[in-house]
Amino acid sequence: MALFLNVMIFVDRRFLAVVFIILSFVPNMYAEKVVQEWAKSWRTLCVILLPFPFFPNVGTFELPWLCVAAPVIFGTSLLHLSRHKMLKQKRDDLRRLSAPAFLRFLSWCSLPLSLIFPLFSSPIIFDRSMWFICSLFVPYSLLSIAYESFFILCFIPLLVMFLRFEFHHMSDVEFLRIPADRSLHLPGGAIRSGRVSGTELRIAAVCMSFVLVTLFGTGNFASMNSFNPSTLNRFISVFSPFTMAALLLFKLLIPLLMVSLLLSAVLRFDRKAVQRLSCIVLILTDLMAMCFFHQLKDEAV
């Protein structure tokens, strides 16, 4: 049933709303109390994202005020987080991250900086993930013309909370201090045989759902409606097909890159699980392809 639903999203993106409903029950897969503390926020974000699949495809209309509002809300949220008592040690980092959202760095400078700037962040899993995701939000917001930047603004906390869920055996303080430059013992994690665990199935299913969200959350990934040259006004003022295509492709890949960064952070300390997880995703996508081809019908008489 789930595979059939994933296939139907390719036919009609409005089925993505059902995926958000299913994702709202993800916290129920964890028994730890720390996950239940975040469950309400997770479900709230799923409800906020629920209407987006029913909006018109990006490219058919423009909402300049929302494009401006999303970075401002993003920067304000980071400043608010910097005042949280648990994030006192990261206050300077969060304030520096909020600056690009308010100042909207020069458009062309934001492209290389979004990939280079996070490399100089502290070697902490949470810090590095936030630096990459927040830096990628800057060029994405500059390339937005409608509600897509607000969609990503609501999608980013969902990614961060899923990362928190996967380290559910740690307290919030321990989670914020997980080092990225050395090994870490995870209970029941790295030392396992080749058997697939329920945890890996859960990660594969949720990440596949996230990929579908990035592909169809603001329109059809393969539709020409998503390729509106007006999104490039802040970058280029002359007609240059190759440059425009590269920028548009970069915009489409940014949400996928965010999901990839999340997955790499989740699997950072269990590299043996990468091969098993790849096999699981390969099997699931093959089954989706079978369901998709099963739906094809020859209407010729």
Side-chain angles (χ1 to χ4, degrees), residues 16-282:
L16 192 62
V18 183
V19 173
F20 287 125
I21 295 175
I22 296 174
L23 283 176
S24 65
F25 294 98
V26 167
N28 295 338
M29 299 180 182
Y30 304 84
E32 286 73 10
K33 182 180 178 181
V34 66
V35 175
Q36 301 308 317
E37 293 175 355
W38 289 92
K40 186 176 180 180
S41 300
W42 173 276
R43 295 189 178 99
T44 301
L45 286 170
C46 289
V47 172
I48 294 175
L49 291 168
L50 193 63
F52 282 93
F54 297 94
F55 293 164
N57 289 347
V58 170
T60 58
F61 66 100
E62 297 184 8
L63 291 173
W65 64 271
L66 195 57
C67 298
V68 176
V72 173
I73 296 173
F74 187 63
T76 305
S77 301
L78 289 176
L79 285 177
H80 180 72
L81 284 174
S82 67
R83 299 188 181 98
H84 195 278
K85 59 182 180 180
M86 291 187 59
L87 298 173
K88 287 183 178 179
Q89 296 179 348
K90 305 180 186 300
R91 182 171 298 175
D92 294 337
D93 289 341
L94 290 172
R95 286 180 176 176
R96 283 197 293 268
L97 286 172
S98 66
F102 281 121
L103 302 178
R104 297 173 71 92
F105 284 156
L106 295 175
S107 299
W108 282 106
C109 293
S110 69
L111 294 178
L113 286 177
S114 63
L115 299 175
I116 298 174
F117 202 46
L119 297 177
F120 298 95
S121 61
S122 58
I124 304 295
I125 288 290
F126 177 79
D127 292 5
R128 188 149 293 182
S129 300
M130 287 299 297
W131 274 82
F132 268 108
I133 291 176
C134 295
S135 297
L136 288 171
F137 179 79
V138 177
Y140 190 86
S141 63
L142 290 171
L143 287 166
S144 301
I145 61 171
Y147 61 85
E148 62 266 44
S149 58
F150 188 75
F151 173 82
I152 291 297
L153 180 63
C154 298
F155 183 60
I156 288 175
L158 211 64
L159 295 176
V160 177
M161 276 192 284
F162 181 69
L163 177 63
R164 177 67 187 96
F165 290 172
E166 288 305 315
F167 290 93
H168 51 78
H169 58 283
M170 297 181 173
S171 65
D172 290 337
V173 176
E174 292 174 335
F175 169 71
L176 294 174
R177 297 176 180 175
I178 301 175
D181 55 352
R182 63 175 183 268
S183 61
L184 182 72
H185 174 70
L186 298 179
I191 306 176
R192 266 204 306 260
S193 62
R195 298 177 59 184
V196 175
S197 67
T199 299
E200 290 163 353
L201 287 173
R202 180 184 65 224
I203 294 174
V206 173
C207 286
M208 281 184 60
S209 300
F210 283 162
V211 170
L212 290 175
V213 168
T214 60
L215 294 180
F216 300 101
T218 58
N220 192 335
F221 185 87
S223 174
M224 288 304 295
N225 291 330
S226 300
F227 297 88
N228 192 329
S230 62
T231 61
L232 308 176
N233 291 337
R234 302 179 187 89
F235 287 86
I236 188 170
S237 58
V238 296
F239 182 75
S240 178
F242 294 105
T243 305
M244 289 180 171
L247 289 172
L248 289 170
L249 185 61
F250 181 66
K251 176 191 175 183
L252 293 173
L253 291 178
I254 284 177
L256 289 172
L257 185 57
M258 290 181 178
V259 176
S260 301
L261 289 169
L262 166 80
L263 185 60
S264 64
V266 170
L267 300 178
R268 172 66 179 83
F269 304 107
D270 192 5
R271 297 185 179 181
K272 293 182 179 179
V274 175
Q275 184 177 2
R276 294 193 295 269
L277 201 65
S278 301
C279 292
I280 295 172
V281 173
L282 183 62

